[in-house]
Amino acid sequence: MEREQAGLPPYFDTNRRDYEGHMAEVAQRLQFQHDFAQSALKTLVLVNGGAIIALFTFLGHERAAFDLLWLKRSFAAFAAGLGLAMFAYFGAFYSQANYMTAVYQQAINSRSAMAALDLREDEEPAERWGTIFLRVGVGSALLALAAFVGGSVCALVGLV
């Protein structure tokens, strides 16, 4: 009763809590974006780049017997893995950026409802793009891992 007399719309407290919750999630998603980018880049670059360095180290030994064609295939697979690792990095980054945008738009909607405005942001496109980039990131990460495994098999065949 006091709220209505003060001119506050119904469910003001609920809308305020929703707004604050969404804004907290925006900050958290930004941290996730940062963490995903670092993890993906470090891990995938480390395994594929380390494998390339190991290949170069092996090729530096004059007495080693190997099939150069298979080692070239191995090198190509590891290099492809590095490229795919970058796609995974960008996929993770942009997925979280879009999810953050969607949550920000939800926060704006909560704030508008709190102020009894008819303004409504559409968060669907940002969520849809977030899902697309998430799939690109995960798919690229899996392909980078597959390239590492394929490069390892090629290196093994080239050495036996």
Side-chain angles (χ1 to χ4, degrees):
M1 188 82 161
E2 291 177 22
R3 291 203 186 280
E4 291 176 13
Q5 291 174 353
L8 297 175
Y11 305 110
F12 179 82
D13 288 335
T14 303
N15 290 331
R16 181 182 50 79
R17 282 192 304 270
D18 286 349
Y19 173 77
E20 290 169 356
H22 290 309
M23 290 308 291
E25 189 174 346
V26 166
Q28 194 174 31
R29 290 240 178 237
L30 184 61
Q31 183 61 45
F32 289 159
Q33 180 182 356
H34 178 263
D35 293 346
F36 282 140
Q38 280 188 335
S39 295
L41 190 58
K42 286 179 183 177
T43 303
L44 294 172
V45 169
L46 179 67
V47 296
N48 284 294
I52 290 173
I53 291 170
L55 249 171
F56 282 140
T57 301
F58 176 77
L59 291 175
H61 290 36
E62 295 177 18
R63 299 180 194 171
F66 53 84
D67 184 347
L68 187 59
L69 176 63
W70 280 100
L71 291 184
K72 285 181 181 180
R73 291 176 181 163
S74 176
F75 181 83
F78 293 140
L82 279 172
L84 288 164
M86 292 307 295
F87 272 88
Y89 163 75
F90 288 121
F93 179 86
Y94 284 114
S95 72
Q96 289 305 303
N98 279 282
Y99 288 143
M100 181 188 66
T101 300
V103 172
Y104 177 74
Q105 290 167 334
Q106 291 169 354
I108 295 299
N109 292 340
S110 294
R111 185 181 66 187
S112 295
M114 193 169 43
L117 300 175
D118 289 333
L119 177 66
R120 171 127 176 88
E121 296 280 332
D122 183 16
E123 70 268 4
E124 292 294 323
E127 287 180 352
R128 195 173 18 243
W129 278 108
T131 301
I132 289 168
F133 282 118
L134 178 65
R135 289 178 179 156
V136 166
V138 170
S140 296
L142 292 173
L143 288 173
L145 184 59
F148 174 74
V149 170
S152 298
V153 169
C154 289
L156 185 63
V157 170
L159 297 177
V160 174

